[in-house]
Amino acid sequence: VVALKNCAASSQEAAYVIAQSDEALALLKDLALQDDHSRLRDVAVGAINSISRSPRAVPRLKKMGFQSEVLCELLWTKDNGAASDLRKLTLACAVVNIEASDPQKLPAKVLQRWILSKDGKQAMANMVKCLGYALGGEQWNNVSFSPHSVVCPLFNLTRCFPSSDLGLDDKKLVMYISQLMRESQRFSHWKDNMHVAIKILENLSHSPVSQILMRGGHCMGLLQTMASTNPPQNAGAPWFPPHPSPEDLVAMRRIQVQADKMAKKLLTLPIAVCMGQHVRLGRASILMGLDDAVLQMIVVMALYQS
């Protein structure tokens, strides 16, 4: 079981191969449903979580009934302590990856109820906390996390639910995502991490407050820098490999397009405000008719961090 977990965690292709085995999934299901809180049970749940990070493996997990028979039921188990927090975090990551993975379908109602619950709020806060620990090379409850293990469920959550429902610490999340992009070469799955990190920023940007956080910190400058140089010349930057393969170059170009699109989105509001105050461009703008106090509040909201 430990071998299955480690293989699935190290490679999405390995996770997909494991998911094709009915025997392996049945074993993991049986262990996850054990009544005791054994180490073996926790490892089985961790293996399911690792497999759930492979988009191609998720349909197999759903077909085997993991979202309804196993994980969702265990989310509501009442137990306390540090081990419980860790177990619920692992379960939560797997449930979110499975239930919120299809952009064409709304997440299951059980997940919608869970994110509004006290347990749900705590588990989501722990996802952000563990991302910070992973970036700092620290452990949480004697367990090491990779950034990839928590950015995947955070992406699915921010894609499916508004920030107001999630109650995440957007300031810390934006700061951690910026750090992950800046230091991506320190971690495995760098291409997936970069792609998902920018997607999380895109999801958060639906909130004006999150946009302010991105413009006010180093996030927007980082996106602009990543997007401003052609990938071959950008090789060797902290966020790209020093000697990229042809496959890496394709991924770098894709990431560059993402970063450019996100940076331009963050600039839309500041540019609109500046144009509204221009003598010629803003001739018909309502900004010209506002008093200085109101205009100052709008400018601060559009250009600076509150």
Side-chain angles (χ1 to χ4, degrees):
V1 177
V2 173
L4 290 177
K5 176 181 177 294
N6 291 339
C7 287
S10 63
S11 165
Q12 289 192 5
E13 185 62 32
Y16 173 71
V17 171
I18 294 170
Q20 302 312 301
S21 168
D22 290 346
E23 293 79 7
L25 294 185
L27 171 64
L28 294 175
K29 180 189 290 188
D30 290 342
L31 292 173
L33 283 173
Q34 287 182 351
D35 291 334
D36 63 345
H37 293 169
S38 66
R39 170 65 178 162
L40 190 57
R41 179 193 181 189
D42 290 343
V43 172
V45 173
I48 297 168
N49 178 31
S50 297
I51 294 170
S52 74
R53 295 198 289 271
S54 170
R56 292 200 301 156
V58 168
R60 281 285 299 164
L61 292 175
K62 288 185 174 181
K63 185 177 180 180
M64 293 292 288
F66 275 86
Q67 75 278 28
S68 56
E69 292 181 24
V70 180
L71 302 175
C72 291
E73 177 184 343
L74 295 177
L75 269 181
W76 299 100
T77 302
K78 298 297 181 183
D79 52 348
N80 300 304
S84 171
D85 287 342
L86 180 60
R87 186 178 302 113
K88 287 183 178 179
L89 173 63
T90 307
L91 284 166
C93 290
V95 169
V96 170
N97 289 337
I98 295 171
E99 291 289 357
S101 61
D102 190 343
Q104 305 302 321
K105 295 180 181 179
L106 289 173
K109 289 184 178 180
V110 65
L111 182 57
Q112 297 180 42
R113 292 197 309 271
W114 176 79
I115 68 162
L116 298 175
S117 69
K118 181 180 178 181
D119 284 346
K121 298 294 185 188
Q122 184 61 54
M124 290 186 291
N126 286 338
M127 290 181 195
V128 178
K129 182 190 299 184
C130 285
L131 178 56
Y133 286 140
L135 293 170
E138 301 176 52
Q139 292 186 328
W140 185 59
N141 289 338
N142 298 316
V143 175
S144 297
F145 287 81
S146 70
H148 189 63
S149 66
V150 282
V151 292
C152 287
L154 284 170
F155 161 65
N156 286 320
L157 283 170
T158 56
R159 180 181 60 80
C160 293
F161 300 101
S163 296
S164 56
D165 286 350
L166 298 177
L168 297 172
D169 187 335
D170 286 358
K171 184 174 183 179
K172 282 188 177 179
L173 183 53
V174 169
M175 180 179 68
Y176 291 154
I177 291 298
S178 299
Q179 183 180 349
L180 176 60
M181 292 191 299
R182 191 168 56 248
E183 302 175 5
S184 66
Q185 291 306 301
R186 289 176 49 211
F187 308 104
S188 59
H189 304 287
W190 74 267
K191 285 176 275 193
D192 292 329
N193 285 343
M194 291 286 277
H195 172 69
V196 172
I198 299 175
K199 283 290 188 181
I200 290 175
L201 294 178
E202 185 179 334
N203 296 338
L204 291 175
S205 69
H206 295 300
S207 162
V209 174
S210 295
Q211 282 205 26
I212 293 172
L213 293 172
M214 295 177 208
R215 286 194 293 267
H218 301 291
C219 182
M220 187 167 70
L222 177 61
L223 290 167
Q224 290 173 318
T225 303
M226 289 170 57
S228 63
T229 310
N230 291 327
Q233 286 74 43
N234 226 345
W239 43 86
F240 286 141
H243 306 291
S245 66
E247 181 184 355
D248 289 337
L249 287 173
V250 172
M252 290 159 66
R253 290 189 179 95
R254 182 191 66 182
I255 291 165
Q256 184 183 32
V257 170
Q258 278 186 276
D260 183 59
K261 179 181 176 182
M262 189 64 231
K264 287 178 177 177
K265 181 175 182 179
L266 293 175
L267 283 172
T268 300
L269 181 57
I271 290 174
V273 170
C274 293
M275 290 174 66
Q277 297 178 81
H278 189 273
V279 174
R280 178 176 57 83
L281 296 175
R283 186 180 305 166
S285 172
I286 62 172
L287 292 178
M288 287 295 193
L290 297 176
D291 61 58
D292 291 345
V294 175
L295 185 58
Q296 182 181 15
M297 288 191 290
I298 293 174
V299 170
V300 168
M301 176 67 74
L303 301 181
Y304 304 104
Q305 182 176 0
S306 60

